[in-house]
Amino acid sequence: VLGQGAMACGMFAIKGPKMIADDHVPNFPLKHQTKDLAFAVRLAEQAGADVPVARAATATFQQVLGQAGELDFSAVVKATEKKK
């Protein structure tokens, strides 16, 4: 659905199949993406902007950081996996 509509972008085309295949060879490590998201949230809040979606995304990335920080940021999908 996303690939056919206005939200279509190369990142979905590249990362989607890799996430499904559990292929998280790092192109940009999750630990760096998490740091960048947290930094963006702090800056936004210092500027007086309310960024609830960015805060929620940061929390989700932080949830996975311990188990997948060295993997690609697409490993954030692990936050949605059922515990075995």
Side-chain angles (χ1 to χ4, degrees):
V1 171
L2 291 175
Q4 300 302 312
M7 295 293 293
C9 74
M11 190 62 68
F12 292 146
I14 293 167
K15 295 297 180 182
K18 288 181 165 238
M19 291 168 80
I20 291 167
D22 200 30
D23 175 4
H24 305 292
V25 174
N27 297 110
F28 191 71
L30 178 70
K31 65 182 180 180
H32 297 316
Q33 183 66 50
T34 305
K35 174 189 60 76
D36 291 352
L37 278 170
F39 182 64
V41 167
R42 279 194 307 275
L43 285 175
E45 290 174 345
Q46 287 173 2
D50 185 25
V51 288
V53 174
R55 262 194 325 274
T58 302
T60 301
F61 274 66
Q62 288 171 336
Q63 175 185 350
V64 182
L65 191 59
Q67 74 185 68
E70 299 298 326
L71 299 177
D72 189 74
F73 71 92
S74 63
V76 72
V77 73
K78 294 184 178 297
T80 64
E81 293 175 348
K82 292 181 181 176
K83 304 295 183 222
K84 295 178 184 172

